[in-house]
Amino acid sequence: GHAHNDNLSFELNVKGRDFIIDGGSYLYTPLPNIRNEFRSTQAHNTLAVDRYEQNRWENGLKGLFSMMDDAQGHVLGLSTEYLNAEHSGFGEKHYRQFTWQEPFLLIEDVFDARFSGEINLNLSPDVKVSQHTEIGPEEYYLKLLNEGVVLGIYLKGFNSIEVADGFYSLGYGRRVKNQRTRCHRSARGSLIKIDTSEENYQN
């Protein structure tokens, strides 16, 4: 009854600092539209397609605590260095693989290019986007800061990157402003490469 559309989503903490986070729940019945916004696919750190949901829910109050299992998520492979998984919530399979190649975390997404979509990164309220640069055709670089800790993110396979205002729920009935990066995909495959190296912290 408390499920969210968070298939293949993730969170990221580096050196004790939260960078990419789950947005939380905020409210249930008082504001149904806000309840649904916080549990939507677009509110999570995963692929969102044409504003479709990974899993449908019923309209009205009954739907606030129910969700269909359209996505049928599966883990395809798992080790200490990688996680490969899929879901079918959009009718076509979305594949995502996380690979740890120290000091890099690689996130590769594969989804049918006929559908427009975006990959969202929900940032901690403590994170500041200090750099947002196009570095080549369909390639971008983001630099994130959190109390002296720096994270570099390279993105490939996107036609634009947008930094938008959002909200993060600290607990029931509590929310604060944060930022969200909306990465608009341009191809069937895309890559997010996150640099956690010591050299990056010193720049």
Side-chain angles (χ1 to χ4, degrees):
H2 292 266
H4 283 207
N5 277 336
D6 58 359
N7 280 270
L8 308 186
S9 186
F10 71 103
E11 297 179 273
L12 182 65
N13 177 291
V14 177
K15 292 198 171 291
R17 303 295 183 191
D18 287 331
F19 278 87
I20 299 172
I21 57 172
D22 184 273
S25 293
Y26 184 45
L27 293 173
Y28 296 128
T29 55
L31 295 171
N33 289 341
I34 300 299
R35 154 69 169 162
N36 288 333
E37 180 181 330
F38 268 83
R39 64 174 177 155
S40 69
T41 305
Q42 195 174 44
H44 292 87
N45 305 310
T46 187
L47 172 69
V49 175
D50 292 330
R51 298 191 178 275
Y52 288 112
E53 294 296 341
Q54 294 176 340
N55 299 297
R56 296 166 293 164
W57 56 70
E58 293 185 46
N59 294 326
L61 291 178
K62 181 180 179 181
L64 296 180
F65 293 96
S66 66
M67 185 175 286
M68 302 175 191
D69 187 15
D70 299 315
Q72 296 287 313
H74 297 284
V75 173
L76 303 176
L78 177 64
S79 76
T80 55
E81 287 81 29
Y82 78 95
L83 167 66
N84 188 12
E86 67 174 18
H87 77 78
S88 304
F90 307 126
E92 301 280 344
K93 294 222 184 256
H94 169 208
Y95 299 94
R96 170 169 273 191
Q97 179 161 308
F98 298 88
T99 305
W100 174 244
Q101 295 179 354
E102 191 173 357
F104 300 107
L105 174 64
L106 307 179
I107 304 171
E108 299 171 88
D109 289 281
V110 177
F111 185 73
D112 195 320
R114 293 175 300 165
F115 299 87
S116 62
E118 61 187 44
I119 293 175
N120 294 289
L121 300 176
N122 203 37
L123 305 180
S124 167
D126 298 322
V127 170
K128 175 185 176 184
V129 179
S130 70
Q131 186 175 342
H132 172 201
T133 307
E134 185 174 2
I135 58 175
E138 301 181 347
E139 292 187 48
Y140 292 82
Y141 173 74
L142 297 174
K143 181 180 283 188
L144 309 181
L145 305 179
N146 187 345
E147 297 187 26
V149 180
V150 182
L151 203 66
I153 303 182
Y154 301 85
L155 303 109
K156 185 174 183 178
F158 300 91
N159 54 33
S160 66
I161 306 293
E162 173 188 358
V163 179
D165 292 332
F167 287 100
Y168 165 65
S169 176
L170 299 166
Y172 185 80
R174 302 168 61 205
R175 68 176 180 175
V176 296
K177 291 183 178 180
N178 73 338
Q179 289 188 309
R180 177 183 300 164
T181 61
R182 302 176 62 189
C183 310
H184 301 278
R185 300 175 78 246
S186 59
R188 184 173 181 269
S190 60
L191 171 67
I192 299 173
K193 183 178 182 180
I194 301 175
D195 183 0
T196 67
S197 67
E198 291 291 336
E199 291 78 11
N200 191 48
Y201 299 129
Q202 297 168 4
N203 291 335

